Amino acid sequence: MTDHPDVPAVRTFWQGLGLPGLFDVHVHFLPPNIQRAVYAVFDAAGPKIGREWPIRYREDHAERVEILRAMGVRRFPTLPYAHKPGVATYLNDWAAGFARDVPESLWSATFFPEQAAAAYVAAAVGAGVEVFKVHLQVGEFHLDDPLLDEVWGTLEDSGTPVVVHAGSGPVGNDFTGPASTERLLERFPRLTLLIAHMGAPECAEFLALAERHERVHLDTTMVFTDFFPAYPDSLVPRLRDLGDKVLLGSDFPTIPYPYVHQLDGLARLDLGDDWLRAVCWSNGLRLFGPGPTTPVG
Ligand SMILES: [Zn+2]
């Protein structure tokens, strides 16, 4: 058990709601060499980051797993993402090993628009991968890239959730924004998508997609924190109506504030304890199912 100073406030939050813990759909664990490279990008506040971003949780993997366990984050993915062709299978092999070692983690994988993608995604789905992640800003591709046609067909049929960073935050480029997600859903309307960061800053467009498409969800990652632009007040009542399709995400470990700050931001919306319980626990459980060690309640 870790004595990390951020633990008690997080436990107080979910205990106060009568939950058995938290279900966080947006956590990253990457191979150590890649993780170091990502930290370096954030430390340099490079062009894809755009501002100072002091990462709070820089411990090694084992310690970070212990911090999540101590905080009561009962289930979480590892969400690898590829920045160029040819690296997805390396990331996916590493993520498979992590999923074997950490039983409560969601087995995660990624893909990139490349010839091999159709085959490795089909194999991953067949093997039991539970969630995929793609990052349009980092990968610089459109969701409806023709090289992904077969991949989306596979994922629409399997129903495997895909966490998509498609919004133009923190720094947009030609590939970000809702357009390619809208085009994709016209062709594959049954895809199970989790829109990372609620699509910020294009919050209204991505909320509308979630309202229109039965299997499009929003993850709360970094939204409602001091670090993100304010979420439009006018959209908040629609988040209540969308209740069962909003899921807690944190971006642990690459966040510049204590974990509980994300939770406090959700509570400040004043959408009620039932909404918080759904967002922080039961919506994730319904989408992904309990893990082997998930407490029920
Ligand atoms: Zn992330």
Side-chain angles (χ1 to χ4, degrees):
M1 200 66 156
T2 169
D3 56 0
H4 195 287
D6 291 358
V7 166
V10 175
R11 297 186 69 87
T12 299
F13 178 88
W14 55 258
Q15 284 166 351
L17 291 168
L19 291 175
L22 298 172
F23 198 124
D24 184 342
V25 301
H26 197 130
V27 168
H28 295 285
F29 282 91
L30 299 166
N33 56 324
I34 308 264
Q35 186 71 70
R36 275 194 298 277
V38 170
Y39 284 168
V41 169
F42 280 88
D43 289 347
K48 297 223 172 183
I49 306 298
R51 61 178 293 179
E52 262 189 57
W53 198 297
I55 295 164
R56 187 166 179 93
Y57 301 99
R58 309 186 72 113
E59 293 81 359
D60 68 26
H61 284 148
E63 285 173 88
R64 272 187 273 132
V65 169
E66 287 311 312
I67 292 169
L68 288 171
R69 285 176 176 161
M71 290 194 299
V73 179
R74 307 297 182 198
R75 298 217 78 193
F76 54 87
T78 61
L79 303 188
Y81 50 93
H83 64 296
K84 61 179 183 185
V87 298
T89 50
Y90 164 75
L91 291 165
N92 293 346
D93 288 347
W94 189 87
F98 187 98
R100 279 192 295 273
D101 292 344
V102 182
E104 72 267 49
S105 70
L106 294 164
W107 184 359
S108 308
T110 190
F111 51 85
F112 198 86
E114 54 194 338
Q115 288 300 340
Y120 67 67
V121 168
V125 167
V129 162
E130 295 172 280
V131 61
F132 289 86
K133 165 76 188 275
V134 290
H135 199 312
L136 304 189
Q137 186 226 25
V138 169
E140 300 192 340
F141 59 87
H142 291 294
L143 276 186
D144 60 340
D145 187 301
L147 282 166
L148 293 176
D149 282 357
E150 232 179 292
V151 167
W152 294 121
T154 299
L155 295 174
E156 189 176 50
D157 290 343
S158 69
T160 315
V162 185
V163 177
V164 177
H165 184 131
S168 299
V171 180
N173 59 29
D174 289 349
F175 303 92
T176 61
S180 78
T181 310
E182 289 165 353
R183 293 194 303 266
L184 179 72
L185 286 166
E186 276 169 30
R187 293 180 52 211
F188 300 95
R190 295 179 297 114
L191 280 169
T192 303
L193 302 184
L194 274 107
I195 306 296
H197 310 284
M198 294 186 147
E202 291 97 351
C203 298
E205 291 88 340
F206 283 104
L207 174 59
L209 282 176
E211 290 170 336
R212 269 207 309 279
H213 294 274
E214 194 190 328
R215 298 183 190 175
V216 175
H217 305 68
L218 304 176
D219 96 25
T220 66
T221 306
M222 298 190 79
V223 187
F224 318 114
T225 71
D226 298 343
F227 208 68
F228 249 50
Y231 193 82
D233 280 342
S234 60
L235 302 183
V236 171
R238 289 160 66 187
L239 293 181
R240 180 194 284 119
D241 299 338
L242 201 64
D244 61 349
K245 295 204 288 184
V246 180
L247 292 92
L248 170 68
S250 69
D251 239 346
F252 179 92
T254 335
I255 44 178
Y257 45 71
Y259 187 99
V260 76
H261 183 51
Q262 170 76 81
L263 304 174
D264 289 340
L266 293 171
R268 267 199 305 273
L269 291 174
D270 215 15
L271 293 176
D273 286 357
D274 284 343
W275 187 83
L276 286 175
R277 279 188 279 268
V279 169
C280 296
W281 182 252
S282 49
N283 291 345
L285 212 59
R286 190 175 48 248
L287 193 57
F288 292 101
T293 59
T294 313
V296 285

